[in-house]
Amino acid sequence: MIRGADIVVRSLIAENAKHIFGYPGGAIMPVYDALYDYSDQIRHVLTRHEQGAIHAAQGYARVSGQVGVALATSGPGATNLITGLADAMIDSTPLVCITGQVAAHLLGTDAFQETDVVGISMPVTKWNIQVRRAEDIAPAIAKGFHIARSGRPGPVLIDITKNAQTEAGEFNYVPCLSIRSYRPYFEIKKDEVQKAAELIKAAQRPYVLYGQGVVIGKAEAELKAFLDKTGIPAACTLLGSGAISEEHPSYVGKLGMHGNYAPNMLTNHCDVLIAIGMRFDDRVTGDLKRYAKQAKVVHLELDPAEINKNVFADAPVLGDCKQSLSMLTEAVEINSHDEWLSRFKELELLEKESVIANDLSPTKVGLTMGEVIRFINQYKADDAILVTDVGQHQMIAWRYFDYKTSKTQVTSGGLGTMGFALPAALGAQMYDYSRQVICVVGDGGIQMTIQELGTIMQTKAPVKVVLLNNNFLGMVRQWQQMFFDRRYSFTELDNPDFIKLAEAYSIKASKVSVRDGLSEAVADMFLHDGPYFLEVVVEKEDNVFPMIATGCSVEEVRLS
């Protein structure tokens, strides 16, 4: 018989959790007291805000492939997790978040820092529960970890009343392996695979779109084998980046609003569209009424809710894509599509001349975001992890970062959470101090969670922070320029001295505003042993192209 608080910690240890990201408070204090005795078995990272804690847990989970763990108190501590829960839900990130709650006898009395976090978090969690007895803590945590990591991953919240933490209960941890009525996986039907294979074999212009499901399902090798055999052109979503090498002969670029020109344009010219582990979100499809209407659609997907949700699938294959891709590869024939691939190459040249040349080798006086990423590519390691915030810098970094391996792309995709990058980079670095973690941020987003520089200072995590500063909320400004007659309403920023801020946190920092000093500054950053903050002042009114405006077809992608 041990305290409920000790049951919490020992349950996490039983699940092989190595790190917890959190912030203490009254209703979770017994758990923090218990952590004091287990510091040799589990490391707690004290962030500077609960939102920082959950984003750090997300970064940790995305890079490790394990369940991230966040810890917070009741009331405002718990509600500060909601944005991260919503972010993790839409991006399929496995998390277990544990919150303290007022004692059971005070529930419903509007006690100090009492909030119905279970009710609030229900729409943005895969599963949640409130635990009111010590004996129920271990089963809840076991169930939570199983749900978070199985099937399509997602966030779980476990709210534990204070009396459950202080009372004694029997500890006998039994890992959860199955739950009645919960089916995270489905048996793949051979007839579905065969129908998909027949469509692919008959196709003249087949086209593969792959997403994060390939990474989550650890199906990178299977995707490569499928492409090697079929020679089908393949493009990635934002979160699918890195699943295959961009040097693969079938790779044709990136999809979506600010993806590459050819992959977007030719979506409406293929005859069979093969979607693998992606959900046809609006940033990829544009106007659904004009999206790939000429094509038969094959959809390999783990979550049945995604089948026919946005795009009708002529040949849906429900199941784990690691297995379904292997079965599909066996069923299709060896092929090549050189003529079809050449059409992508032609449009790629057009984008290089119209957009990429200016982004990477500009003639203008001011620095561009693209040339900063070009220099980062020259000095980074092959397994370097890119963590980005949300905005213009995110799209530019995604477009030009040289992805070599899987699980090297960490960003907020579906929710688009500004403030995500700095704590997420910390979490990614905590998983592996030996790897380069490059945090690319804008001057708007970094100020939403800039206090996490304090966590970087305390942990000495060697995160390389690259601030691309244009003194604007750049993406909003771009839309105001293009669609609101340059009426820059509340998007220009008067920023602090970021270098002094970084140095106040004992982080080595430097600033570049001219082209001649950029290469040396990037080299110095990577040579520095420890965290580094590099501010690069870039053009104030540069725009990100190509671009598909909201409500437009993928064929209406603009180069300028």
Side-chain angles (χ1 to χ4, degrees):
M1 300 289 288
I2 59 174
R3 280 188 311 167
D6 291 281
I7 292 176
V8 171
V9 179
R10 289 175 65 173
S11 296
L12 293 173
I13 292 170
E15 287 289 350
N16 202 33
K18 301 295 186 184
H19 291 83
I20 306 173
F21 303 90
Y23 203 95
I28 198 68
M29 205 174 295
V31 171
Y32 272 87
D33 180 67
L35 279 169
Y36 193 85
D37 296 324
Y38 297 93
S39 59
D40 59 333
Q41 297 179 66
I42 191 167
R43 181 176 183 181
H44 178 275
V45 179
L46 175 64
T47 58
R48 298 305 185 261
H49 192 283
E50 291 87 358
Q51 185 173 344
I54 193 167
H55 289 332
Q58 287 177 268
Y60 185 93
R62 293 270 284 276
V63 171
S64 68
Q66 302 168 12
V67 177
V69 181
L71 195 59
T73 192
S74 64
T79 59
N80 282 341
L81 298 178
I82 299 300
T83 296
L85 288 169
D87 194 287
M89 186 69 176
I90 200 165
D91 282 352
S92 304
T93 305
L95 298 180
V96 168
C97 298
I98 297 174
T99 55
Q101 184 55 275
V102 300
H105 73 278
L106 292 174
L107 291 171
T109 68
D110 292 331
F112 178 67
Q113 292 192 333
E114 180 195 358
T115 302
D116 180 12
V117 69
V118 172
I120 293 170
S121 65
M122 191 170 292
V124 293
T125 52
K126 192 176 176 184
W127 179 69
N128 66 10
I129 190 173
Q130 186 175 85
V131 178
R132 304 182 184 185
R133 303 186 306 171
E135 62 198 70
D136 296 329
I137 292 174
I141 291 176
K143 187 175 180 181
F145 269 84
H146 174 64
I147 292 172
R149 66 163 68 101
S150 59
R152 181 178 180 175
V156 163
L157 183 135
I158 302 171
D159 192 46
I160 306 176
T161 60
K162 195 167 185 178
N163 63 288
Q165 299 172 49
T166 56
E167 293 167 359
E170 184 177 353
F171 178 70
N172 179 28
Y173 196 80
V174 179
C176 180
L177 302 177
S178 65
I179 302 168
R180 188 176 63 181
S181 78
Y182 172 57
R183 294 181 62 198
Y185 303 103
F186 295 85
E187 183 178 353
I188 298 169
K189 297 178 181 179
K190 292 182 180 179
D191 60 326
E192 290 182 351
V193 175
Q194 191 58 42
K195 184 177 181 180
E198 294 303 321
L199 286 177
I200 293 168
K201 284 190 283 187
Q204 297 298 309
R205 299 180 307 281
Y207 185 20
V208 168
L209 314 181
Y210 63 91
Q212 190 187 204
V214 174
V215 178
I216 293 172
K218 301 177 182 178
E220 296 93 340
E222 287 74 15
L223 175 61
K224 182 179 181 299
F226 176 76
L227 297 176
D228 287 344
K229 185 174 183 180
T230 63
I232 298 174
C236 69
T237 66
L238 174 64
L239 297 184
S241 301
I244 61 169
S245 170
E246 295 184 359
E247 297 173 358
H248 192 281
S250 286
Y251 177 79
V252 294
K254 299 173 172 67
L255 298 160
M257 180 175 281
H258 291 290
N260 295 117
Y261 188 62
N264 284 308
M265 281 290 291
L266 294 179
T267 298
N268 281 4
H269 293 261
C270 67
D271 56 2
V272 173
L273 192 66
I274 307 153
I276 305 172
M278 55 88 72
R279 58 187 179 85
F280 290 112
D281 70 282
D282 63 298
R283 286 295 171 107
V284 165
T285 65
D287 182 8
L288 280 168
K289 294 178 182 178
R290 293 180 284 168
Y291 182 77
K293 292 302 180 183
Q294 79 293 339
K296 297 290 185 182
V297 176
V298 174
H299 194 179
L300 277 62
E301 175 59 47
L302 180 66
D303 185 356
E306 296 296 346
I307 300 290
N308 297 329
K309 184 178 81 174
N310 294 329
V311 174
F312 175 78
D314 299 275
V317 181
L318 184 62
D320 187 340
C321 68
K322 186 176 181 69
Q323 183 182 355
S324 62
L325 262 176
S326 291
M327 295 169 67
L328 188 59
T329 303
E330 288 183 13
V332 296
E333 299 169 344
I334 296 174
N335 206 340
S336 62
H337 296 277
D338 295 339
E339 185 177 342
W340 173 226
L341 272 167
S342 69
R343 293 181 62 181
F344 286 89
K345 301 301 181 185
E346 290 169 8
L347 295 181
E348 181 183 331
L349 287 174
L350 183 60
E351 182 182 346
K352 283 182 177 178
E353 294 169 359
S354 303
V355 178
I356 296 174
N358 183 61
D359 282 349
L360 300 186
S361 300
T363 57
K364 59 185 67 175
V365 175
L367 293 168
T368 67
M369 296 183 183
E371 62 184 313
V372 179
I373 306 303
R374 176 167 63 89
F375 281 114
I376 287 173
N377 284 333
Q378 291 179 13
Y379 294 103
K380 76 174 185 67
D382 284 350
D383 66 346
I385 298 163
L386 173 68
V387 186
T388 56
D389 214 79
V390 173
Q392 287 182 316
H393 72 275
Q394 176 192 33
M395 294 293 98
I396 289 290
W398 173 51
R399 283 175 54 78
Y400 297 121
F401 189 80
D402 186 11
Y403 297 97
K404 294 288 189 182
T405 58
S406 186
K407 291 190 175 69
T408 54
Q409 158 78 330
V410 180
T411 196
S412 173
L415 197 65
T417 305
M418 291 178 69
F420 172 87
L422 192 61
L426 166 74
Q429 191 74 82
M430 296 303 295
Y431 172 67
D432 189 348
Y433 268 62
S434 68
R435 288 176 67 182
Q436 291 175 350
V437 175
I438 306 159
C439 174
V440 178
V441 290
D443 48 313
I446 194 172
Q447 292 184 80
M448 292 191 172
T449 51
I450 199 166
Q451 67 276 2
E452 298 309 329
L453 289 174
T455 315
I456 292 173
M457 174 181 68
Q458 188 163 351
T459 59
K460 297 179 174 59
V463 176
K464 311 304 183 188
V465 181
V466 181
L467 168 62
L468 302 181
N469 186 0
N470 58 11
N471 291 105
F472 263 116
L473 300 176
M475 190 63 82
V476 182
R477 184 214 55 76
Q478 177 170 337
W479 279 68
Q480 288 174 337
Q481 176 185 334
M482 296 176 67
F483 307 113
F484 293 88
D485 299 322
R486 291 181 180 267
R487 289 160 59 88
Y488 295 157
S489 180
F490 303 104
T491 49
E492 190 164 9
L493 296 171
D494 288 336
N495 285 319
D497 187 328
F498 288 108
I499 302 304
K500 286 183 179 178
L501 265 173
E503 290 174 343
Y505 285 106
S506 300
I507 296 172
K508 186 174 177 58
S510 64
K511 181 176 180 176
V512 178
S513 55
V514 294
R515 188 162 286 111
D516 288 346
L518 181 58
S519 177
E520 184 180 354
V522 173
D524 289 345
M525 177 181 71
F526 282 113
L527 287 170
H528 180 68
D529 184 17
Y532 197 99
F533 190 103
L534 174 61
E535 178 184 0
V536 183
V537 180
V538 296
E539 282 279 340
K540 289 192 70 170
E541 295 188 53
D542 258 1
N543 291 331
V544 184
F545 289 104
M547 179 181 180
I548 304 170
T550 301
C552 290
S553 162
V554 288
E555 281 189 291
E556 295 174 305
V557 56
R558 300 171 53 167
L559 288 172
S560 63

